[in-house]
Each structure stands twice: as structure tokens, then as C-alpha cells.
Amino acid sequence: MDTKANGQPADSYEQRDDLALRSAAGDPTVEPRSIPISNPTTQASHSRRISLNSVQVERQSVVESQNSKEHGKSSKSAKVEETAAAPLPEFIIKRNELFDRLKREQHNEILAKWKPEINVVLDLGLDKEGKPRPDMPVAAKAWESTPGSFLRYVDKDISSDVVVAKVDGKHLWDLDRPVEYACRISYIPFSSAEGRNVFWHSSAHVLGEAAECQFSCLLSHGPPVEQGFFYDMAIADGQVVKESDWPPLESKASRYLKEKQPFERLHVSIPHLKEMFGYSKYKMYYIENLLPPEGSTVYKCGTLVDLCLGPHIQNTGKIKAFQIMKRVYGVAFPDKKQMTEHKKFLEEAAKRDHRKLGTDQELFFFDELSPGNVFLLPHGALVFNALQKLLRSEYQKRGYQEVQTPNMYNVDLWKTSGHLEHYQDDMFSLEIEKQKWALKPMNCPGHCIMFRHRERSYRELPLRMADFGVLHRNEASGALNGMTRLRKFQQDDAHHFCTQDQITEEVESLFDFLRSIYGLFGFPFRLKLSTRPEKFLGEMETWNLAESKLRDALNHFTASGGGQWELNEGDGAFYGPKIDVILSDALKRDVQCATIQLDFQLPQRFELEYMTGESPAKAKTQSGCPDSGGSSNRLKGPGPGRARPVMIHRAIIGSFERFMAILIEHFGGKWPFWLSPRQVLVVPVMPVINDYVEEVQGLLRAQKMHVDIDVSSNTLQKKIAMGQLHQYNFIFVVGAEEKESRTVNIRNRDDQNTQSKGEKIPLDTAIQKLKALKKERRLVNSM
């Protein structure tokens, strides 16, 4: 699979692809990485960059005790400071005065604008039965009517959860920002990922306001992350945020929420931005390096004015619960009940952390001699191999041909594919005999070489190549995160080579594949269509055809009971549209594993052809499409009687290692029997029964089951307790009676009724039931 290279420069200060920060959001042991500072010597007055998060608190216990002695501060003094209204620092006063002046000027300009009547249509989404609600036209005026003002026409069951608006399906829009042209408006609730991001982004501004007032600090940036938000800041004299600082911060935030401070948006020119934020080297870095020449927007919330693209909630009163937490930087919700539920979620997520359970169950480990590369222990390898066996069994049913391709290529291959230009920083390269080589980060170019190594006929299409080859990607060290982000991994990678007429059928077959695999694990999933981005390769007509075929496949999926699909406008890959598959785990977390991508460019770059079976015709020259620089290439077309195949990139589970991590947390370490590395533990009541214990083990292993025995000197109770701790699916307890009657006393891990005294079953019957349980790959742990 070809995915977006990591570490690419982002388009703005808020939308940076900062993998270290995203990794830190999901991993409290990873320290967030700050932006580069253009002049390190300017850090005299604010020498320490910190984030308001539990990572720093946990890591700086020694520094905290030193600062406590030096400054003599306590939680009690912090409370005293909180009650006193400290004057605002001079830089805040001057900044805010400039904002207020510019805001008045903008307000007068808007008042003077012509406000024509415009057509606005409200898209109210789906009803409770999953059917589209009828469109609602509303009367509106440009530069006057706001999306929030239209909510009076909307039922409370919809409007009560609204966080932000979306204009024409593309642009998120503040509810109190006037619309500027005729448009279609939809509303984004907190229950959606986009809604939570906006809500938590606004909550981060509240945290930033509290921190700025408490510490007189320099703020860097405060983005939403997967489970909350944080604000990166620098405090004078190398101070750090201590846990004793959290209560006064939360107290300030609570006061701001009660004040219902509005979020005010203002577009500011570069010269005025420099005047507004000249006190901060961090803001100046953004202004001078990341902003367009026409300037950018800032938002004001209470005393905080910050560079921000927005959008935001209407006012701070929408936030009903706000807390600084250990496992996330901060989190907020529209009501307190959701905060309570979130705390329970975090506790359960901590128990299920794959790094903890993977260690407890001896599945894998890491070593500093090979960072980003996992060592799979025997029990971990059993799970890995079971997943591969599952995929191979499906490949046989679905007409795939498994192949193997080289692990290392001359860079000429990556020049042809285009990866060297866009991806080389994420590749491991080396020099051999004065030639440059690179380890493969994906399989698709190798599969193109395999396709073209001989003549191909239309009769061979669709041709489905599957590859479990080892891949290497040079991930940044700060982005490495357990088994979810590695430098060496394997995927259930495959590529379909087909005709344009076969696209819809091939994609529909992949939906069936998804149902089969995800259903085994109890994963519900949804589909998102990502369409043509602003910068793309190929012809518009080809893109329109490809998107049309994907829409047809998605509509068939919905019609067959697969649920509504979502449109993700403009987020396709540069070489073709794609379908992202989002699954939901046991904790209701969204995880993307599978992806289906159409690619018209690689077949063209590698000049792939197949014989059509039609009478040869004069070859046509295919026009190249403008590249990102606006130039145009003339690409050689297929020969007479030949055509170019379409390439479909696909992965169902993605990286095996990452999928294992997802499964560990999804099942909480309680593996279904067919996938479990510890299926049965046989325990003797007394040593004289050991021969029967070994016989039972041998009979079960003959059926390819993972069976251990405990003939140690431990007591029976301790042996059973250890088996339960290691999450064996079944514990067979055998004594003299069981040996004589050829039976086993079975304790089911998931049936509490069998824990005190198991169910006695004939050994042959138990073996047959376990064989059926394994063969059928059932989720329920029951014989």
C-alpha cells in the first residue's frame, strides 16, 4: 500500500503533520516535540519549553522538588494567588488593544457592505431511521445571517448537539460568522469526530487563557488531539507546570466558562500580526515561516488572542465540564455526564493498553538496540501466524495469487514510481558498489514490475497479487509508539490489476472481504469516499469516471444493508480517489485499518499494458496532466490492440503488528479460542496423574492446538490462578477420577459458573468440541 509520507511540512501552524505531537497525544510516555526555533540563543528569558500535560509532571518530579524549595510555593499559596485578581501583563494589554481596534474597523466595514438576499439551504442529515431529512431553504442575507441564527428553525434534538457548521460540504464555519454567499449549510454535532475536534480546540483556548494569566507564559500552539487537547508554552526562568498548579488552572477555566466568553474571529495582515505578537518568538516563527502573504485569522476568547484558523464554538458557556488529566493534556465536554463516562473510558483504556498486556502475556518486547522494531515472542508469533493463515484461507477463496518481491531495489525503481521525489526522507537508503539502493517501504512498484515482466491478456484480468513482504519506513523516533507505529512491519498488501469496466465489481468484492474479516472480530465499520484533491495527476475525465464507479459500489453497499457511507471531499490521494474504512473497537474508538485506492498513475509510469483481444488500432498519445508545478508531460500511450490496466491498492487489516495491537486492546487480552496463543492449560490434582496430563496435552497438540501443562510443585489453587492470570481459554483439571473415566474437568475463562468446579466432559467429546470451536472461528468462548 502506498500511503502519505510522514513528516511532510504542513500548510499552516495549526494543521502541521507533527507526528511527534500526535504520537504524544496517544502515548503519555512520548514527549511532545516543539517547533524549531530559528535562533536558539534567544531563549535566555524563556529557557524551557513545556507542555501542560502529565508527561512533564511525571518526568519532572526532581525539578518540582527543587523549584518548591527555591520558590517556597505550595498549593495553599496558589489558591491565595487565584483569589487575588492579578493585573494582566503589558504584552497582553497591548495585544488586546490592537485586536479591539482592528475588530472595530472590520465591524464598520461589514456594516457598510451591501447585504443582498441569498439562497441558503439547510442540510439536516439523516433521521433516526437513517433516512435523509428533506432540505430546508431559509431566507438569508449575505454578511448578516449566520448559521447559528438558522438553528431556530431546527428541532431541538438536532440543534442541542450542534458545535459548528459546514458550508457546501467543505468548509467548517463558526456558528456566529455571517455567511458570505449562497450556500448549503449542514451542522456538525459533538458526537462526530469533526465536532469533538472543534470543541476541544476551543477548550484548548480556555486552557491557554488560564495558563497565560497564571504564568505570564509565552504560548506556542494548542491543538485538539485524539482524546482531548493541550497547549505548548514557555515559562520564564525555566519553571515547569506542577500538579499543584492544576487546581488554580481549572478554577480559572471554570470562571471563564461561567462568563460565556464569545469566540471572536478577525482576519489580520502580516504587518499587524507582527505588531500584535512581536513579544513572542514562537508566534513570530509561525508568522514569518508558515503564513501566506495575505495574513491569517486570529481569535479572541476572554483575555486570550491567538493565531488560529478556527472555527470555534460560539462561547465558553457551551463547555460544561473541564479537567486537566494525567493520561491526556486536557479534556472538556458539553455536560458533566460525558466527563464521568470519559474517565471510565480512560481507566478501561489503560487496563487494555497493548504495551502493558503484550508484556504481561509475553507476546512481544522492544530493545533499544533496534528502536521501532518489535521482537515477537513465541506466543506473539502464534497470533501473527494465525492472522496470516486467516488471510491465506480467504485468498484461496477469492482468487488471489500470493507473490514475493525483493526487499531492496535500485533507486531507479523509486524514481520511476515517483516515491524518491516525495518519500525519500522516509526510506532507508544505502550504497552498494557505488549505486544507491533503498529498502522498500511499500509493495506496489514491485508488483508493477511483476505485472509487466511478460505479455498480459485481458483474459488474466482481474489479476490480484497478494504480498506479505517485510516493509521498512524511516519513522521519526518521536512518532514510534508500541506496535502501532514501527519501522519494520508486514502488511496484508494486495493490488488488483483490472479494466475500467471491472472497477465497481472489484470494489464490491472488497466490501464483502471486509465484512468477512471484520465480522470475525466483532468490528462494525463505516466507509468514507475521498475525492479529487486540489493538486492531482491525470485527466479530469478519468477522475470523474473513477469517482463515479466508487460511488456506484458504495451505493450498492448501502442498498445491501451496509450502512450509509460518508463523503470526504478533496481528500483523495494525488493519483486517484480512495475509500477509507473506519472500524470501531470495543471501546467505541475509531480506527482506520483498511483502505481501497484507485491508481491510474503507476500503470502509466511503468507503462503497463495488456492485450485487449480487439483488432489493433492506431495507438493514441495520452495527454499528461499538469503536475504540482503546473507543467505538462506527454506520456506514451499503449500500443495497438492494447490498453492500460487500472490498479487498485488495498489492505484489509493493514500492518499485522498494528492490527495485533488493536486486537489486544479490543479483546482486553481475552483472545477468542481460534486466535488465542494459550488455548488450554492442563493441571493435575496430584503428581501421580502427570502421565494422563501429558497424554491429554499430546492428543490436543495432535489437533494443532496450543496446550500447556503445569506439573510444577505449586498448589492446585495457585496453578489454576496462574492459568486464569494468563487468560487461558480453558483450564482442564484432572485427577484420579478423570484419568480412570477418560474425562476432563473444564473451567471456561468466560463462564464464572465453572470457576469453582468445572464441567466434567469425556476427553474425546472435549477434543471434538474444541476442534469445532477453532474451525468455526467463533468469538464466544463456549464449547
Side-chain angles (χ1 to χ4, degrees):
M1 293 298 305
D2 189 0
T3 58
K4 181 181 177 182
N6 295 323
Q8 293 295 319
D11 297 328
S12 74
Y13 49 88
E14 288 185 299
Q15 296 177 332
R16 297 182 303 147
D17 187 15
D18 195 333
L19 292 172
L21 289 174
R22 288 194 296 171
S23 176
D27 182 359
T29 65
V30 178
E31 184 174 357
R33 182 181 63 201
S34 301
I35 60 165
I37 305 302
S38 54
N39 184 6
T41 61
T42 62
Q43 297 198 16
S45 60
H46 293 78
S47 60
R48 187 184 296 271
R49 298 287 312 284
I50 65 169
S51 295
L52 189 57
N53 63 74
S54 61
V55 185
Q56 300 292 344
V57 171
E58 292 169 1
R59 285 187 174 181
Q60 294 167 351
S61 57
V62 175
V63 179
E64 289 173 18
S65 62
Q66 291 174 346
N67 286 343
S68 178
K69 293 176 181 178
E70 292 171 4
H71 301 287
K73 291 185 178 180
S74 65
S75 58
K76 181 177 179 180
S77 63
K79 291 179 181 178
V80 173
E81 290 176 11
E82 172 64 15
T83 58
L88 291 174
E90 186 68 19
F91 74 87
I92 293 181
I93 295 173
K94 289 184 177 180
R95 177 193 68 196
N96 294 4
E97 286 176 348
L98 177 57
F99 176 93
D100 292 340
R101 176 170 65 82
L102 296 176
K103 183 67 175 177
R104 287 193 298 271
E105 293 175 1
Q106 183 196 68
H107 178 69
N108 292 333
E109 291 174 3
I110 293 177
L111 285 178
K113 283 182 180 289
W114 180 48
K115 300 177 179 61
E117 293 185 356
I118 56 175
N119 296 320
V120 171
V121 176
L122 303 187
D123 178 355
L124 301 181
L126 305 178
D127 61 21
K128 293 179 180 179
E129 297 178 357
K131 297 179 181 179
R133 291 187 174 93
D135 289 345
M136 181 184 292
V138 292
K141 287 187 176 182
W143 298 101
E144 181 176 287
S145 303
T146 66
S149 68
F150 303 138
L151 286 174
R152 65 181 182 272
Y153 306 123
V154 180
D155 292 341
K156 280 192 174 182
D157 63 335
I158 300 174
S159 61
S160 60
D161 194 32
V162 168
V163 171
V164 72
K166 180 176 279 190
V167 172
D168 290 336
K170 297 180 180 179
H171 310 294
L172 290 177
W173 204 273
D174 300 281
L175 289 174
D176 289 339
R177 177 185 172 188
V179 292
E180 301 168 8
Y181 46 81
C183 59
R184 186 179 183 86
I185 293 176
S186 56
Y187 292 102
I188 309 300
F190 178 82
S191 56
S192 69
E194 283 184 310
R196 286 191 297 275
N197 276 342
V198 170
F199 193 92
W200 284 338
H201 185 187
S202 300
S203 303
H205 278 239
V206 175
L207 175 61
E209 181 184 2
E212 199 175 59
C213 289
Q214 180 158 330
F215 302 118
S216 298
C217 58
L218 298 185
L219 299 178
S220 175
H221 69 303
V225 289
E226 186 177 356
Q227 293 296 334
F229 51 87
F230 71 91
Y231 231 115
D232 201 11
M233 67 189 76
I235 304 179
D237 302 322
Q239 295 183 54
V240 297
V241 178
K242 304 181 292 295
E243 192 165 350
S244 59
D245 293 317
W246 295 5
L249 282 171
E250 290 175 347
S251 177
K252 282 184 169 67
S254 179
R255 188 171 76 246
Y256 303 155
L257 307 189
K258 293 176 182 177
E259 292 172 357
K260 298 184 179 180
Q261 300 172 347
F263 283 87
E264 302 177 77
R265 180 181 184 272
L266 178 68
H267 190 277
V268 181
S269 67
I270 292 294
H272 279 140
L273 286 174
K274 290 182 176 179
E275 181 182 354
M276 188 175 287
F277 296 104
Y279 63 87
S280 171
K281 61 191 173 191
Y282 307 117
K283 300 301 179 185
M284 290 300 291
Y285 175 87
Y286 294 135
I287 293 168
E288 293 173 352
N289 294 278
L290 299 176
L291 296 188
E294 62 270 21
S296 186
T297 53
V298 298
Y299 276 78
K300 183 180 181 183
C301 165
T303 62
L304 176 68
V305 175
D306 202 4
L307 280 170
C308 183
L309 296 178
H312 284 284
I313 60 177
Q314 290 172 295
N315 61 68
T316 58
K318 303 293 183 182
I319 306 169
K320 302 301 182 185
F322 183 104
Q323 187 168 355
I324 299 169
M325 307 181 77
K326 287 209 169 195
R327 289 194 62 80
V328 293
Y329 307 100
V331 70
F333 292 96
D335 63 62
K336 294 181 179 180
K337 180 181 177 182
Q338 287 175 296
M339 175 67 82
T340 302
E341 292 172 350
H342 184 72
K343 290 180 181 178
K344 292 180 180 178
F345 159 79
L346 290 178
E347 292 173 1
E348 184 62 26
K351 295 176 185 176
R352 292 172 178 251
D353 190 312
H354 77 277
R355 292 161 297 186
K356 175 183 180 297
L357 291 178
T359 300
D360 293 345
Q361 296 189 357
E362 295 185 324
L363 301 177
F364 60 84
F365 71 94
F366 292 90
D367 191 281
E368 62 182 10
L369 293 177
S370 187
N373 300 296
V374 66
F375 290 78
L376 282 183
L377 293 165
H379 287 99
L382 289 175
V383 177
F384 187 98
N385 292 336
L387 291 173
Q388 278 203 353
K389 183 178 180 180
L390 168 65
L391 269 299
R392 284 195 169 101
S393 67
E394 289 292 329
Y395 287 169
Q396 291 177 345
K397 300 176 190 176
R398 300 174 183 276
Y400 283 87
Q401 301 176 30
E402 187 176 342
V403 299
Q404 293 185 4
T405 49
N407 200 38
M408 183 173 67
Y409 292 93
N410 189 289
V411 294
D412 288 344
L413 175 85
W414 307 110
K415 290 178 182 177
T416 301
S417 69
H419 290 101
L420 192 68
E421 178 182 358
H422 299 287
Y423 211 90
Q424 63 177 324
D425 289 342
D426 299 279
M427 299 169 67
F428 288 101
S429 58
L430 59 159
E431 187 171 305
I432 301 175
E433 295 179 348
K434 298 183 179 180
Q435 291 189 357
K436 291 185 178 180
W437 298 70
L439 298 178
K440 66 177 179 182
M442 64 276 299
N443 289 308
C444 33
H447 289 184
C448 288
I449 296 295
M450 189 167 281
F451 182 93
R452 80 176 187 189
H453 90 284
R454 66 167 175 82
E455 290 281 1
R456 297 288 180 180
S457 166
Y458 72 95
R459 294 187 179 90
E460 296 179 72
L461 305 183
L463 178 62
R464 307 179 185 108
M465 292 185 186
D467 196 332
F468 293 133
V470 174
L471 305 177
H472 289 84
R473 295 183 184 175
N474 189 14
E475 301 281 5
S477 58
L480 301 177
N481 184 16
M483 292 252 284
T484 63
R485 182 75 68 138
L486 298 170
R487 287 173 173 160
K488 173 262 178 186
F489 57 94
Q490 290 174 255
Q491 290 188 147
D492 68 320
D493 206 358
H495 297 91
H496 296 212
F497 296 91
C498 63
T499 68
Q500 289 193 7
D501 293 337
Q502 294 169 334
I503 292 175
T504 300
E505 185 176 354
E506 286 300 288
V507 173
E508 288 180 354
S509 73
L510 291 174
F511 293 160
D512 181 69
F513 201 164
L514 289 169
R515 280 192 178 110
S516 297
I517 297 299
Y518 287 175
L520 286 173
F521 304 107
F523 287 134
F525 66 91
R526 67 181 195 277
L527 305 174
K528 295 171 65 174
L529 172 61
S530 297
T531 57
R532 184 183 64 250
E534 291 185 9
K535 295 181 180 180
F536 63 93
L537 294 178
E539 299 177 353
M540 186 78 73
E541 181 181 355
T542 304
W543 274 85
N544 291 339
L545 175 64
E547 290 179 7
S548 173
K549 290 185 176 295
L550 290 184
R551 287 175 190 269
D552 288 344
L554 287 164
N555 288 333
H556 292 163
F557 173 78
T558 298
S560 64
Q564 290 287 337
W565 56 275
E566 303 170 28
L567 180 62
N568 192 13
E569 197 81 43
D571 199 41
F574 68 90
Y575 51 76
K578 64 176 181 173
I579 296 173
D580 292 324
V581 185
I582 314 298
L583 62 82
S584 180
D585 71 2
L587 296 181
K588 310 299 183 185
R589 296 176 297 190
D590 286 345
V591 183
Q592 181 180 336
C593 288
T595 185
I596 302 167
Q597 300 177 349
L598 291 191
D599 188 352
F600 298 93
Q601 305 309 316
L602 274 188
Q604 196 161 270
R605 283 176 171 269
F606 283 93
E607 298 182 355
L608 305 185
E609 300 177 358
Y610 64 90
M611 293 180 287
T612 62
E614 300 175 354
S615 58
K618 185 177 180 180
K620 296 180 180 180
T621 302
Q622 297 183 354
S623 297
C625 192
D627 59 20
S628 58
S631 63
S632 182
N633 300 318
R634 304 295 291 181
L635 299 174
K636 181 181 177 182
R642 299 169 182 272
R644 197 81 77 204
V646 178
M647 191 175 185
I648 302 177
H649 305 250
R650 81 102 185 101
I652 301 297
I653 68 172
S655 157
F656 281 95
E657 293 85 351
R658 180 170 178 266
F659 196 68
M660 281 179 61
I662 292 169
L663 291 178
I664 291 171
E665 298 187 0
H666 177 60
F667 293 123
K670 295 184 177 182
W671 299 95
F673 184 78
W674 70 271
L675 189 59
S676 177
R678 294 180 175 87
Q679 294 172 331
V680 179
L681 176 65
V682 187
V683 177
V685 173
M686 59 195 78
V688 295
I689 308 299
N690 287 356
D691 58 340
Y692 183 54
V693 169
E694 292 171 355
E695 180 187 356
V696 172
Q697 180 187 38
L699 290 172
L700 291 172
R701 282 187 171 178
Q703 301 301 324
K704 298 182 179 178
M705 297 181 195
H706 310 314
V707 185
D708 297 320
I709 62 175
D710 188 345
V711 292
S712 68
S713 59
N714 289 331
T715 64
L716 176 62
Q717 289 75 14
K718 186 169 184 179
K719 291 176 182 178
I720 293 174
M722 292 301 294
Q724 293 171 335
L725 181 65
H726 286 98
Q727 301 292 354
Y728 281 90
N729 296 73
F730 300 98
I731 299 177
F732 288 9
V733 180
V734 295
E737 184 179 340
E738 285 79 15
K739 178 180 179 180
E740 182 177 349
S741 60
R742 304 285 297 172
T743 60
V744 287
N745 191 294
I746 301 178
R747 300 189 181 211
N748 184 335
R749 179 194 65 196
D750 298 340
D751 185 354
Q752 291 302 314
N753 294 328
T754 65
Q755 297 306 310
S756 58
K757 185 177 181 181
E759 182 182 4
K760 189 181 294 185
I761 296 178
L763 177 58
D764 291 341
T765 302
I767 292 174
Q768 293 306 314
K769 288 187 174 185
L770 289 178
K771 285 174 62 178
L773 181 60
K774 181 180 179 182
K775 182 179 180 181
E776 295 167 13
R777 294 192 174 103
R778 297 200 300 263
L779 274 177
V780 179
N781 195 60
S782 175
M783 296 170 61

